[in-house]
Amino acid sequence: MGRIAVIGAGMGAMAAAARLAVAGHRVVVYERTETYGGAVRRFERDGFAFDTGPGLLPLPAVYRDLFVKTGKQPLEECVELVQVDPSTDHVFADGTRVSLPNASRAGVLTALDEALGADAGARWGDFLVRAREAWDRSRRPLLEEPLWPNWPVLAEREPYPSVTHKKLLRTRRAGTLAEIGAWELRDARLTALLESHALVYGLDPRDTPASAAVLPYMEHAFGTWYVRGGIRELARAVYERCVARRVEFRFATSVERIVEKDGRVVGVEFSEAGSQPSGPGGTTFAEADFVVAGVAPGVLQSLVPGAVIRGDDEVPPQPGASSRLTVLLALRGRRPDGVAHRTVIHTADREGELDRLFGERRGLPVAPSVVVSRPDDPALVPDAEHEAVTLTVTVPSGAQVSEADVERVLDAAGRALPGLRDRLLWHEVRTPADIAEATGVEGGAVPAPALAAADGRLLHPSNGTRMPGLFAAGGWAHPGGGLPHAGMSGALVAGLIVEGQGFQGSQ
């Protein structure tokens, strides 16, 4: 079998490495930082522990499949999965609150009727039926198959079956999430609920295609899960599975160049911290029959200067305009019984928030929407008389964060955390600059999942490239960002390498 160099130890790259090692390849992972996981990191202090990347796992079947295909121990023997219930509490601008049960259609519709009034549940239920149709139409070509050369079909066709509306003798159909909210849901709170699924990925609902309806549908249909000990435990389990399959990891090792000969990949040049280089230019050369790059498109292109790895007829790199601000709170006092694991606090100034995130005056919103994560997990606190809470806010990539910005986030979080200021022992802040340091992506941009329609603007570059032997995995390659999508990208890359161009996708 072949020699494979994997650049980066993010979740998608490690998923590809484990699958390729099982197929008999010799796999070496080169990671420029000191640890694995990419954006899936952990911060620890004074007995408190926090996830600084994703906090919950949607669609766990992706990682169940990875563990089934790469060893005898299933995922549940390597980590403890807990289904989060309720799925989410929502605190709306008018003070209305609703708690949505996990993966229960009847429960969700009843909760919406009770909190928002009669017919709210029916409108959301009708929307979910249409969202399921969008999912059924786009799931396989968008997520489970390589991005074929006929990708414009995905770009041109809107899979969401919008309801026809007539106004002033005009017929119109919702083409964006914002229009679905205005024309089909017809309630500002239901609209906020819908749009929150886009905002968490840094997508502007005013121009995000209606196909993004699949995002709330995925959560509704497959549930939301927590990994006991934090999502970092999932990264640990994937890393250990790679090691068990004899994948070699070289940390603090930066790949400086992908080497090609006669138009095909032949290896990589790398430099190791603290080691004596063996070649010209201060680097060491390692032969490879295939290279899998788990890096952003701009970084990948910089590793093959002058080479054409993407053509003009291929999907352009996704803009990646947004990042995240994370505030980690160490609180005195035990976690109250019955509180939700996740609470979304919706802004009272929707237009102001969207303009600050996506308009000309980029910056942190004055009144931001905040996602509050309160895991019920003894592993994250020094004892039962303390609580570890994470606040997450979508911000523009490269945003500079001031203490005043953090204070506004704390003020907003107080709507879900009574007495927050009195309970606060200390807080730590993770900015876009910290994400950039961990992932190597300029501005700390965070990739969104691939979405159909929108002229292909929200698709991602294919896993294969125009350079034979060079492949791309992870959130910046097809099918995009998010833990499940990264795992899918690893499966697609492994399939393309093992089975070649005849690979038809996961089954």
Side-chain angles (χ1 to χ4, degrees):
M1 289 293 185
R3 297 159 297 184
I4 298 179
V6 178
I7 304 173
M11 298 298 284
M14 288 198 296
R19 290 175 181 271
L20 289 166
V22 166
H25 294 282
R26 294 168 50 198
V27 184
V28 180
V29 177
Y30 301 89
E31 167 57 45
R32 65 180 186 83
T33 70
E34 299 285 349
T35 189
Y36 53 82
V40 182
R41 297 295 178 97
R42 178 190 295 272
F43 175 81
E44 298 181 358
R45 173 182 163 186
D46 299 340
F48 293 87
F50 306 84
D51 283 322
T52 59
L56 292 171
L57 176 65
L59 208 58
V62 172
Y63 288 91
R64 289 189 178 117
D65 180 73
L66 171 64
F67 277 73
V68 165
K69 299 289 176 58
T70 59
K72 294 181 180 180
Q73 277 188 303
L75 176 63
E76 279 81 352
E77 289 187 13
C78 300
V79 298
E80 182 182 352
L81 290 178
V82 180
Q83 192 167 20
V84 176
D85 201 12
S87 169
T88 315
D89 277 4
H90 289 269
V91 181
F92 296 107
D94 65 355
T96 306
R97 295 171 178 250
V98 61
S99 183
L100 301 181
N102 200 346
S104 169
R105 175 185 174 84
V108 166
L109 303 192
T110 298
L112 290 173
D113 277 341
E114 292 176 352
L116 308 186
D119 296 331
R123 289 196 296 274
W124 186 256
D126 291 343
F127 159 72
L128 286 178
V129 171
R130 294 188 290 275
R132 176 177 179 173
E133 189 168 339
W135 169 259
D136 290 340
R137 290 175 177 177
S138 61
R139 173 183 58 84
R140 183 159 181 79
L142 192 64
L143 302 179
E144 299 176 359
E145 296 179 349
L147 192 65
W148 303 118
N150 66 343
W151 64 266
V153 173
L154 279 172
E156 297 161 1
R157 295 181 182 176
E158 172 56 74
Y160 179 78
S162 300
V163 177
T164 300
H165 292 266
K166 289 186 178 181
K167 184 176 183 181
L168 300 177
L169 303 180
R170 292 176 54 205
T171 298
R172 61 184 185 178
R173 290 179 177 271
T176 67
L177 281 190
E179 290 172 344
I180 290 176
W183 302 348
E184 298 181 5
L185 298 178
R186 305 188 307 280
D187 184 303
R189 296 163 298 184
L190 289 178
T191 297
L193 170 58
L194 170 64
E195 293 182 350
S196 66
H197 292 273
L199 282 173
V200 75
Y201 287 110
L203 299 173
D204 185 348
R206 298 171 299 186
D207 62 18
T208 297
S211 64
V214 300
L215 299 177
Y217 174 76
M218 286 172 59
E219 184 170 306
H220 162 78
F222 306 111
T224 304
W225 301 77
Y226 174 68
V227 178
R228 186 70 67 187
I231 291 293
R232 178 66 178 175
E233 285 297 291
L234 177 64
R236 174 199 56 76
V238 175
Y239 166 72
E240 290 180 354
R241 177 54 54 90
C242 286
V243 172
R245 300 283 78 82
R246 299 186 179 179
V247 173
E248 179 184 351
F249 283 81
R250 296 189 178 183
F251 294 110
T253 301
S254 177
V255 171
E256 308 294 344
R257 187 167 73 96
I258 296 170
V259 182
E260 57 90 16
K261 182 178 181 181
D262 298 328
R264 180 182 172 82
V265 162
V266 295
V268 296
E269 289 182 354
F270 63 89
S271 58
E272 290 181 286
S275 67
Q276 187 66 34
S278 60
T283 60
T284 301
F285 173 72
E287 294 184 0
D289 301 292
F290 300 94
V291 172
V292 177
V295 297
V299 177
L300 176 56
Q301 183 62 65
S302 71
L303 297 177
V304 282
V308 177
I309 59 174
R310 302 288 183 193
D312 294 337
D313 59 338
E314 294 183 81
V315 175
Q318 196 186 55
S322 296
S323 185
R324 296 190 184 110
L325 166 63
T326 305
V327 184
L328 313 175
L329 307 179
L331 303 183
R332 61 172 63 89
R334 65 174 57 239
R335 179 183 186 272
D337 294 335
V339 301
H341 182 115
R342 177 176 59 179
T343 299
V344 178
I345 303 170
H346 298 272
T347 181
D349 182 14
R350 172 184 179 272
E351 289 302 321
E353 179 175 58
L354 297 182
D355 286 342
R356 292 285 287 176
L357 290 176
F358 309 109
E360 294 183 0
R361 290 186 60 218
R362 291 292 180 92
L364 270 72
V366 174
S369 296
V370 180
V371 179
V372 182
S373 179
R374 306 178 74 176
D376 183 10
D377 190 345
L380 305 184
V381 291
D383 55 55
E385 298 305 317
H386 293 86
E387 184 180 8
V389 176
T390 301
L391 312 179
T392 306
V393 178
T394 298
V395 299
S397 62
Q400 301 296 311
V401 179
S402 68
E403 190 57 39
D405 295 323
V406 175
E407 290 298 314
R408 286 197 292 272
V409 173
L410 293 174
D411 288 341
R415 294 169 59 192
L417 288 161
L420 169 60
R421 299 285 186 171
D422 293 334
R423 296 182 61 197
L424 186 61
L425 292 171
W426 49 262
H427 70 271
E428 286 281 342
V429 178
R430 289 294 175 268
T431 69
D434 295 307
I435 297 176
E437 182 178 354
T439 64
V441 179
E442 183 178 359
V446 177
L451 295 174
D455 298 322
R457 177 170 50 85
L458 295 177
L459 297 176
H460 288 262
S462 60
N463 305 107
T465 71
R466 293 202 169 189
M467 179 177 290
L470 176 60
F471 296 84
W476 292 101
H478 177 71
L483 283 172
H485 296 70
M488 293 176 196
S489 80
L492 292 173
V493 167
L496 287 168
I497 291 176
V498 173
E499 299 185 28
Q501 293 304 311
F503 176 62
Q504 295 297 310
S506 58
Q507 301 297 321

